[in-house]
Amino acid sequence: MKFAKLIRRNLFRNKLRSFLMIALMGAIFFLVATLLQIVYTFDHFDGGGTGDRLVVQSAFSLAQMLPYAHEQKLRQVPGVVDVAKSQWLGGYYKEPRNSFAILAIDADKVGSVFPDHRVDPAGLAAFARDRRGALVGPDLMKWFGWKVGDRITLHRQIFPFDPEVTIRAVSNHPVQKAVLFVHLDYFNETLKWNRVGTFWVKVANANDMPAMSQQIDAMFKNSEDPTESFTEKEFNRQFVSMMGNIKLLFTSVSVCSIFMIVLLAAITMSMAARERVTEVAVLKAIGFGRRLILGLMLTEFVITTAAGCALGLGFATLLYHFGDVGKWTRGFLVNLHITPGTALICAAIAVVVGFVAGGLPSIRSANLSVVDGLRKVV
């Protein structure tokens, strides 16, 4: 600690350059922390489900629809409590930028199959009675200023179907806060179809799901519409993966960002080391050893990168704590926040960058002879 004053003075010998470097590194670490946290969120996304539901879809693809007749056979499987049909619609409100998740479901099965949506009983009954009713997430109600009883028109993205619905209730799900549900009967009557994208199977015992999944798929294996069954967590992860290899993309951008930090730090630290050639020679002349000079310079450089990391992490933490990320991403990212694991990874990166970028300039300065240092013109 007796060299703390010397380190502090050297850190801010050029105040403008130091502050600009820390600010720029903070911006890059903010980007790295955000990307790493998004990757972590995707890897651990489970949709906030109850853990006792199977999702049955076509074995060919999620885009291939299954006949309604499958429902009766699913109900005959031992251990099945109830079955609900669901169809992804997609769509937006007024403008394409206001897109969010819209699903058609069996309205009378919400309470039994989807209890995690926690709907007021009176509102749920009103939704079930009105074939043009809608069940809406609280975030959508807040973003668009809707209230129960409002009549709204939604616009298509996939099917030739523009739902005109009346909001009957609010769904208070812990994760799915920006989802709107309409009656599957309304969807089916409009398009004259008797097919659906997925069946959601509520089971009595979650431990039986692997065996039940195999039994269901075996039941339809030789039919014209074979199935593939997943646990709810597996299905949600598959749904996320349909958007492409986001993990690879974000990880690649993170690696490029870290490479940028190394280059930025290396250039700045090399400039700082060259400016101090004469100073280092004087320190050696008055008794400072090579290892001590090396340690002091590396400490300065690591502190600089750590300060940039702290700035970036601090800004990200505050932004995601007080900002409405769900609104910015229209429900794509919900409850995004910087976890301790992400913070530790960024801190480790900052330390490594400090040593890597500052290592060569520090070693050169430490190995410089007193005569060469005093002779050199900077």
Side-chain angles (χ1 to χ4, degrees):
M1 293 299 294
K2 64 180 180 179
F3 298 110
K5 186 175 182 179
L6 177 61
I7 293 174
R8 177 173 58 82
R9 286 183 177 275
N10 284 325
L11 281 173
F12 298 102
R13 68 167 51 236
N14 188 323
K15 293 183 176 61
L16 179 61
R17 184 176 65 196
S18 298
F19 283 123
L20 288 177
M21 180 180 176
I22 291 174
L24 183 54
M25 294 186 70
I28 299 176
F29 271 110
F30 166 78
L31 175 62
V32 171
T34 299
L35 294 176
L36 291 177
Q37 194 59 53
I38 292 175
V39 170
Y40 176 86
T41 300
F42 285 155
D43 279 345
H44 295 80
F45 180 75
D46 62 5
T50 58
D52 58 357
R53 289 190 292 246
L54 287 171
V55 185
V56 182
Q57 68 171 58
S58 171
F60 300 121
S61 75
L62 186 58
Q64 183 75 29
M65 302 176 75
L66 297 171
Y68 275 17
H70 277 20
E71 180 179 357
Q72 294 304 318
K73 294 183 179 180
L74 289 172
R75 292 184 179 279
Q76 296 172 7
V77 176
V80 171
V81 175
D82 205 352
V83 179
K85 300 182 291 294
S86 174
Q87 176 61 51
W88 173 274
L89 302 182
Y92 59 91
Y93 177 64
K94 290 187 176 179
E95 301 177 17
R97 65 186 179 90
N98 294 330
S99 61
F100 49 85
I102 303 174
L103 292 95
I105 60 171
D106 283 325
D108 58 340
K109 298 298 192 303
V110 174
S112 58
V113 180
F114 304 102
D116 47 322
H117 280 274
R118 298 198 299 272
V119 185
D120 175 71
L124 184 58
F127 170 60
R129 286 194 303 268
D130 185 358
R131 297 174 81 83
R132 290 201 175 191
L135 183 62
V136 184
D139 282 356
L140 294 178
M141 300 289 284
K142 180 176 65 174
W143 298 340
F144 300 121
W146 294 341
K147 59 183 182 296
V148 174
D150 284 355
R151 186 173 181 81
I152 59 175
T153 299
L154 306 172
H155 299 279
R156 76 193 73 176
Q157 281 185 330
I158 302 175
F159 299 98
F161 174 56
D162 291 334
E164 296 181 2
V165 297
T166 302
I167 300 173
R168 294 302 182 190
V170 178
S171 165
N172 294 291
H173 193 276
V175 175
Q176 300 173 27
K177 300 178 180 181
V179 181
L180 186 147
F181 298 99
V182 300
H183 274 250
L184 186 62
D185 290 341
Y186 175 35
F187 168 78
N188 185 48
E189 289 171 0
T190 303
L191 298 182
K192 308 300 181 184
W193 286 358
N194 285 299
R195 301 179 75 86
V196 71
T198 57
F199 291 95
W200 291 70
V201 181
K202 181 82 168 180
V203 303
N205 189 343
N207 295 326
D208 295 334
M209 288 199 298
M212 293 176 65
S213 177
Q214 294 179 3
Q215 183 178 354
I216 290 171
D217 293 341
M219 183 190 308
F220 299 106
K221 183 176 182 180
N222 296 319
S223 70
E224 294 182 357
D225 296 285
T227 64
E228 187 172 10
S229 304
F230 304 90
T231 64
E232 185 174 2
K233 181 181 293 188
E234 292 171 341
F235 176 77
N236 286 327
R237 290 183 177 176
Q238 175 200 232
F239 195 79
V240 170
S241 69
M242 289 173 60
M243 294 177 289
N245 199 337
I246 295 179
K247 182 178 179 180
L248 176 60
L249 172 63
F250 285 0
T251 302
S252 300
V253 175
S254 298
V255 172
C256 292
S257 299
I258 294 170
F259 183 65
M260 289 170 56
I261 296 175
V262 173
L263 290 180
L264 169 66
I267 293 171
T268 307
M269 293 172 185
S270 294
M271 291 173 59
R274 288 184 64 232
E275 291 175 355
R276 296 165 58 184
V277 170
T278 304
E279 176 188 324
V280 170
V282 172
L283 290 176
K284 281 193 168 186
I286 63 176
F288 280 65
R290 186 179 66 85
R291 291 184 179 180
L292 179 57
I293 292 174
L294 178 63
L296 289 174
M297 295 188 70
L298 283 177
T299 301
E300 295 168 19
F301 296 151
V302 171
I303 289 176
T304 301
T305 56
C309 176
L311 180 64
L313 286 175
F315 180 71
T317 301
L318 293 174
L319 179 65
Y320 300 141
H321 179 73
F322 294 104
D324 193 346
V325 182
K327 181 177 181 180
W328 302 335
T329 61
R330 284 293 180 259
F332 182 66
L333 291 173
V334 181
N335 299 329
L336 182 68
H337 62 282
I338 302 300
T339 61
T342 298
L344 287 174
I345 292 174
C346 290
I349 292 172
V351 173
V352 172
V353 168
F355 278 108
V356 172
L360 184 59
S362 300
I363 292 172
R364 285 179 175 176
S365 296
N367 290 333
L368 189 69
S369 68
V370 175
V371 174
D372 290 338
L374 293 176
R375 183 185 301 163
K376 190 174 183 64
V377 177
V378 180

